[in-house]
Amino acid sequence: MQNRTPRIPEQPTPNPVDADAGLTVELASVVTGARRRALRDGDRQIDTAHLLHSLIESDPEVREAFDGGPQLAKVLGYLVQRSIGYGLRWQGSVEDSGAVPVVRNPAADVVRNPAAEGCSPSAVTAMEDALHRAGLRGESRARGLDLLAALAADGECRAVEVLGRAGVDARWLSGRAVERTAEVSR
């Protein structure tokens, strides 16, 4: 009897995210999950949609930031479609929302933030923004809500494109994530 399951080419093991990256353990697992998703999808880099997908799947505080189950289900539906073909037009291209210069020194990004290895410029910017948001509260580690607020604030990233297709106002979601972070941090 033959195994009918297609063989997946051997892929490198995803890098665990170092705790020194300034992320909570939960958020570090989100980045690791996004890295696995990018590898599985055959994408060159972790982009903001990978981060959003992993964030929603693993962080209950992030799920609560959405306006109810139907809205969240619609976003997840688009993200799943993306992983099975919706995002094919994105494959092989570098996500750059214009928030940072396209020409970057990836080695410098990794030195500043070890979690940035293999990430698109927009994903790096979102993680840096999440760390900045945490710093403004006097915290040394970013939370999932910080990353959600940062992703939703970048009007040109792939995560916001997915949110828009699902009917979610990204500016509203970013503001809601900031409010929720303040509530949780008290």
Side-chain angles (χ1 to χ4, degrees):
M1 186 160 150
Q2 294 181 356
N3 184 356
R4 295 181 188 256
T5 305
R7 180 166 162 72
I8 298 174
E10 193 168 319
Q11 299 175 345
T13 306
N15 305 3
V17 178
D18 190 338
D20 293 335
L23 309 176
T24 60
V25 171
E26 296 81 10
L27 196 50
S29 75
V30 165
V31 175
T32 300
R35 183 169 280 120
R36 263 194 308 273
R37 183 173 304 288
L39 283 170
R40 186 178 58 238
D41 293 349
D43 293 330
R44 292 178 15 186
Q45 294 182 322
I46 299 169
D47 66 23
T48 57
H50 293 121
L51 288 172
L52 178 64
H53 197 162
S54 188
L55 192 58
I56 289 171
E57 284 181 336
S58 63
D59 193 327
E61 290 177 348
V62 166
R63 290 191 296 273
E64 290 174 9
F66 284 84
D67 191 20
Q71 184 184 59
L72 185 59
K74 198 167 182 183
V75 171
L76 278 171
Y78 275 100
L79 288 165
V80 168
Q81 286 179 26
R82 187 250 169 138
S83 67
I84 61 173
Y86 162 74
L88 286 179
R89 64 187 174 85
W90 289 335
Q91 273 187 338
S93 65
V94 174
E95 175 188 35
D96 181 35
S97 66
V100 294
V102 175
V103 178
R104 297 179 64 114
N105 180 352
D109 288 337
V110 173
V111 168
R112 282 195 323 261
N113 183 355
E117 184 178 356
C119 293
S120 71
S122 295
V124 171
T125 299
M127 286 190 284
E128 289 173 352
D129 187 20
L131 290 168
H132 177 73
R133 290 167 186 271
L136 291 175
R137 288 192 312 277
E139 295 178 17
S140 62
R141 301 210 183 274
R143 312 169 64 101
L145 288 169
D146 292 318
L147 183 56
L148 178 63
L151 289 169
D154 182 352
E156 300 297 318
C157 73
R158 291 177 183 170
V160 168
E161 184 177 336
V162 168
L163 291 169
R165 288 180 183 267
V168 177
D169 180 335
R171 282 190 219 169
W172 170 84
L173 183 62
S174 182
R176 181 145 164 147
V178 169
E179 290 170 12
R180 291 267 210 224
T181 304
E183 292 170 10
V184 174
S185 295
R186 285 185 213 163

